[in-house]
Amino acid sequence: MDINTKTQIYAIIGDPVEHSKSPAMQNEFFCKTGINAVYLAFHVVKDNLQDVIGGFKKLEELRGFNVTVPHKVEIMKYIDELDPVAMKIGAVNTVVVKDGKWFGYNTDWYGVFKTLQKNNVPCNVKTLIIGAGGASNGVIYGLQQYGISEIAITNRTTEKAIAVAKQFDINVVDFASYKDELDDYQLIINTTTLPFGQMIPDFKKDVIYFDLKYYLESTPDFCIDGKAMLYYQGVKAFELWTGKIIED
Ligand code: NAP
């Protein structure tokens, strides 16, 4: 695809951003669909967000962008119209620019939903989420949309687990003792930044394990990683920007 004066611009902003797989993925989607656009990664530290947003608002060629850590909440104040799902999740990872207006969406939950579907996870599994950081709200929303209703969360900082549990009407398990109760769960999800092996004593064959990280270290083959989550949040963002559906 030639880059010329008609080339549209898409981007991801975050800190760090150099590890992001989104530019390779989204540029491949643009090539595949024959859309004259380019997707770039911009390293934006917290203190520069306002200035970058000011510049973005003036760029006519900018049609949309992804937002990653640590800007997914802060970006919401620059959005003209917030999608109700993004409002419920409390974070925006996809901005659509149309006729000068900014529309904010969250597609992370869809990545979780598709991960569960692709792995044939049954809906009647009792689920424990370990970690209540930025990614956990999208995970819970994805689980609930999928039809999983028995969900509990545990987190090192208890207040964060309590706040998330209240928002999504799920249970809280004490971080000091959750390891004694693992036998109660058929699906265990690691949303912490630590390796799964540090959060649970062992892996059992009849339990489904899902770790959000793209690459898992020292976990059995049957653990689900975060690659599908990343891919499908990107597929949904692409659809929001272009109206084009990337087939599986
Ligand atoms: P985050 O907001 O920084 O949250 C980190 C979580 O890890 C918090 O629950 C934190 O507990 C916990 N934690 C950190 N150090 C800990 C320790 N020493 N002991 C116990 N708990 C600890 O991160 P995030 O944005 O939610 O992301 C979490 C992970 O998901 C990352 O590995 C990220 O790469 C991955 N992710 C993947 C995708 C995907 O598309 N596959 C999307 C989003 C995120 P406290 O609250 O107590 O600090």
Side-chain angles (χ1 to χ4, degrees):
M1 179 74 56
D2 283 341
I3 292 183
N4 52 38
T5 54
K6 300 272 187 291
T7 304
Q8 301 169 0
I9 299 171
Y10 293 84
I12 180 166
I13 58 168
D15 175 29
V17 80
E18 59 272 15
H19 66 284
S20 176
K21 308 274 178 262
S22 294
M25 178 170 65
Q26 296 293 351
N27 285 314
E28 197 186 312
F29 293 165
F30 285 124
C31 275
K32 229 183 200 170
T33 51
I35 295 172
N36 183 3
V38 66
Y39 183 106
L40 301 168
F42 293 117
H43 179 215
V44 179
V45 299
K46 266 186 177 175
D47 284 352
N48 290 342
L49 182 68
Q50 196 177 351
D51 288 346
V52 170
I53 293 303
F56 271 15
K57 292 259 180 190
K58 305 269 182 211
L59 280 180
E60 276 175 35
E61 295 77 9
L62 184 80
R63 299 299 156 86
F65 60 99
N66 282 131
V67 183
T68 188
V69 176
H71 307 307
K72 287 186 185 185
V73 176
E74 191 62 16
I75 195 74
M76 291 168 79
K77 67 181 189 212
Y78 303 101
I79 298 297
D80 298 304
E81 261 184 50
L82 197 57
D83 181 68
V85 174
M87 204 180 298
K88 167 85 183 165
I89 292 172
V92 162
N93 79 321
T94 302
V95 178
V96 175
V97 182
K98 207 171 170 206
D99 302 327
K101 265 178 100 176
W102 283 20
F103 300 84
Y105 296 89
N106 187 299
T107 69
D108 287 330
W109 75 271
Y110 181 74
V112 174
F113 181 96
K114 289 293 283 186
T115 300
L116 300 169
Q117 203 177 54
K118 289 275 158 198
N119 287 282
N120 298 314
V121 175
C123 290
N124 61 349
V125 284
K126 202 169 164 189
T127 302
L128 177 68
I129 299 167
I130 308 171
S136 62
N137 286 16
V139 169
I140 300 165
Y141 189 83
L143 288 166
Q144 291 181 331
Q145 289 301 304
Y146 189 71
I148 294 176
S149 55
E150 281 194 274
I151 306 171
I153 190 162
T154 189
N155 192 51
R156 177 179 62 174
T157 311
T158 310
E159 304 81 63
K160 278 163 75 178
I162 292 171
V164 172
K166 206 168 152 195
Q167 189 183 344
F168 290 94
D169 195 20
I170 62 171
N171 296 318
V172 179
V173 177
D174 192 350
F175 192 73
S177 60
Y178 79 89
K179 287 183 183 163
D180 303 331
E181 298 168 32
L182 291 175
D183 285 348
D184 291 351
Y185 298 97
Q186 295 87 49
L187 170 61
I188 301 177
I189 305 178
N190 181 25
T191 75
T192 74
T193 43
L194 297 192
F196 221 149
Q198 285 186 37
M199 307 315 291
I200 56 171
D202 53 5
F203 293 90
K204 299 203 164 104
K205 272 252 153 86
D206 54 347
V207 174
I208 304 165
Y209 299 95
F210 173 23
D211 193 321
L212 267 54
K213 291 174 203 69
Y214 316 126
Y215 297 103
L216 304 186
E217 288 162 35
S218 320
T219 55
D221 290 348
F222 56 85
C223 283
I224 302 167
D225 65 27
K227 286 198 197 84
M229 178 179 170
L230 172 80
Y231 179 76
Y232 286 103
Q233 66 73 31
V235 165
K236 184 54 89 183
F238 188 81
E239 190 184 326
L240 289 166
W241 291 326
T242 65
K244 300 246 186 283
I245 293 167
I246 301 290
E247 301 295 340
D248 279 1

